[in-house]
Amino acid sequence: MVSRRENNAQRIAALDERAEALGLKPGLGIADARAMHPDVEIVDAQPQADRRLLESLADWCDRYTPLVALDGSDGLFLDITGCAHLFGNEKRMLDDILSRLFHQGFDARAGLGASPGIAWAAARFLSPAIVPPGEEGETLAPLPLAALRIAPAVRAGLESVGLKTAGAIMAAPRAPLARRFGAALLTRLDQALDRAEEAITPRLPVPPLSVERHLAEPVVLADDIERLVGLLAASLRAELERRGEGAHVLQLALFRVDGAMQRLAVGAARPLRDPALIERLFRERLAAFEDRLDAGCGFELVRLSVLKAAPFALEQTDLAGASTAAGEDLALFTDRVRARLGETALLRPVLVESHRPERAAAFVAAEMPEGRDGRARPDNSAPDPAGTVDMADRPIRLFRHPEPVDVVAAEVPEGPPLRFRWRRAVHRVARAEGPERIAAEWWRDPQDMPTRDYFRVEDDDGRRYWLFRQGFYGAAETMPRWFVHGVFA
């Protein structure tokens, strides 16, 4: 048995068939269960571990349909519309699921129906069962109220007035039921009878395009996986050409014989169609995962999916058939490095909408946006964060954190310093420009954040610095502080 803490008491959360045969039920106190059967074995519940196991099972079920949703803490919804014929029919598909789960050590219950409600009821109370369309009412009638997925308080209220089965609810007048027990009761009933729509939200987005191959003999070696990637990419090419698109992000799903699965994804700076280039990218990715790619007894199913596609710009070629597009080698180099070392291996700075200097730029994964001519172009989509500020007024090197300086003297209280000491060296200011006042961003900074006055100063040796005074003289009890925020060339 599995126990969990509820209302300051340890109660049974789950139990196996042997414990059920002893008359124990979920919700019973652990003290009462030990009093009845002192020899029962009890373990503590581990919700996080159970969640990880359920998510791994959801990944495994992706071999049957990409539309897999979690149902509470112990169930899964699979939308197999248009998928059953790939396994022969619905019965063969259901038998295959249960057989594979049994050999993995799971005691699974399954039901199949035209609506999530009737499939849930069939799995929980009639497993294994397939409910043909139109027979939902007949199947549901003898089942207890729990088959309708209604709240325990509502179920207790219905049982108190003699309504103990789903058939009794179907036979009762709807209006009095809605007035006394709420409209949610009738909604659950209609969903089970396939009279009302019930949406299932997949836990993962559905790829717009994917191809897969079931293997008669499982593969273990990375070289075999690479060759399969090339074959699958060749199958994708025709559909990508028909759509006029190329793959920007691809994912390789590897399903092991024992039920585990692994996903590997690669991104491309330019949309890809060439199977050789796709195979080359995954070769780098597999090399990076060499120590973590556990083939076990082998992979029996390999699937290649396009997670993100983009319009494919045709390239001009010369008479020899070679491409003349600029930046192709650089794009391929970028893709290979990112596939081998990760998305953050190559970064590029971009402007950010903020007038605070330390927030006005950020590093993002290096990509090569393309223009209409297929040539790489800089990303100018972000506006100038400083508005009309000339970027030449900003230092070439900006410190991540401003460094404090000691101002030895100042010509006027609100003017630039005459001398300042920074990193144990005293600098005499020969020239200065400013101030440039930069206030705090009221929508993200604290209300008491002081204003900054920036100065571009040059010392006697010709070195130029970007200094700012934080606060005003005489405006507060504390004296303003000076910082150096960057250095010019």
Side-chain angles (χ1 to χ4, degrees), residues 112-349:
L112 194 151
S115 68
I118 192 62
W120 189 94
R124 304 279 174 162
F125 298 94
L126 301 173
S127 176
I130 299 177
V131 182
E135 299 184 8
E136 291 83 5
E138 181 181 352
T139 303
L140 196 63
L143 300 183
L145 296 179
L148 297 178
R149 299 177 295 166
I150 57 180
V154 176
R155 186 167 67 243
L158 291 169
E159 292 175 348
S160 66
V161 296
L163 302 176
K164 299 183 179 181
T165 63
I169 302 299
M170 290 186 285
R174 294 173 63 91
L177 287 176
R179 285 195 301 268
R180 182 167 181 178
F181 300 102
L185 170 62
L186 300 182
T187 299
R188 283 302 194 188
L189 179 62
D190 292 338
Q191 289 174 346
L193 295 175
D194 198 20
R195 297 174 183 170
E197 293 290 337
E198 182 178 359
I200 294 180
T201 304
R203 56 186 295 267
L204 297 176
V206 180
L209 188 62
S210 64
V211 291
E212 64 182 35
R213 175 163 294 192
H214 292 263
L215 306 175
E217 293 292 335
V219 296
V220 178
L221 301 179
D223 293 341
D224 296 334
I225 298 175
E226 292 174 13
R227 285 192 289 270
L228 286 171
V229 169
L231 295 175
L232 294 174
S235 301
L236 281 176
R237 182 172 189 169
E239 182 61 22
L240 288 172
E241 290 177 349
R242 187 187 68 81
R243 298 186 180 193
E245 296 177 339
H248 243 319
V249 180
L250 298 111
Q251 182 188 81
L252 180 66
L254 304 171
F255 296 83
R256 270 181 13 188
V257 175
D258 60 358
M261 75 162 298
Q262 291 180 296
R263 289 188 175 95
L264 304 176
V266 297
R270 295 181 175 185
L272 295 181
R273 288 180 184 170
D274 189 355
L277 292 180
I278 295 176
E279 180 179 350
R280 195 172 181 181
L281 289 182
F282 275 103
R283 181 182 303 123
E284 301 290 348
R285 195 62 172 163
L286 289 168
F289 274 80
E290 184 176 1
D291 297 334
R292 290 175 286 174
L293 189 65
D294 184 8
C297 297
F299 299 107
E300 62 177 351
L301 173 63
V302 180
R303 177 182 299 156
L304 183 63
S305 304
V306 177
L307 298 185
K308 182 181 179 182
F312 188 85
L314 298 179
E315 299 178 352
Q316 180 66 42
T317 59
D318 57 20
L319 296 179
S323 173
T324 60
E328 182 177 356
D329 293 339
L330 179 60
L332 180 58
F333 169 77
T334 302
D335 295 341
R336 293 183 62 188
V337 171
R338 292 167 59 193
R340 173 70 71 94
L341 303 178
E343 294 294 323
T344 59
L346 291 177
L347 302 175
R348 63 184 178 94

Side-chain angles (χ1 to χ4, degrees), residues 335-381:
D335 295 341
R336 293 183 62 188
V337 171
R338 292 167 59 193
R340 173 70 71 94
L341 303 178
E343 294 294 323
T344 59
L346 291 177
L347 302 175
R348 63 184 178 94
V350 296
L351 298 179
V352 179
E353 294 188 47
S354 174
H355 58 264
R356 299 284 283 192
E358 61 269 27
R359 299 173 183 164
F363 286 93
V364 299
E367 294 181 356
M368 295 182 61
E370 296 180 355
R372 294 182 179 179
D373 59 352
R375 296 177 180 269
R377 60 170 175 81
D379 185 2
N380 297 322
S381 58

Side-chain angles (χ1 to χ4, degrees), residues 392-397 455-457 464-466 486-489:
D393 296 337
R394 294 291 183 261
I396 293 179
R397 181 187 178 191
F455 296 88
R456 295 182 296 277
V457 301
R464 302 186 67 197
Y465 305 90
W466 204 36
V487 293
F488 294 88

Side-chain angles (χ1 to χ4, degrees), residues 410-434:
E411 187 175 12
V412 294
E414 301 297 334
L418 295 180
R419 294 190 303 274
F420 66 92
R421 184 170 57 209
W422 175 53
R423 295 183 178 178
R424 300 182 180 181
V426 177
H427 304 267
R428 183 180 179 275
V429 176
R431 298 176 182 85
E433 295 178 340

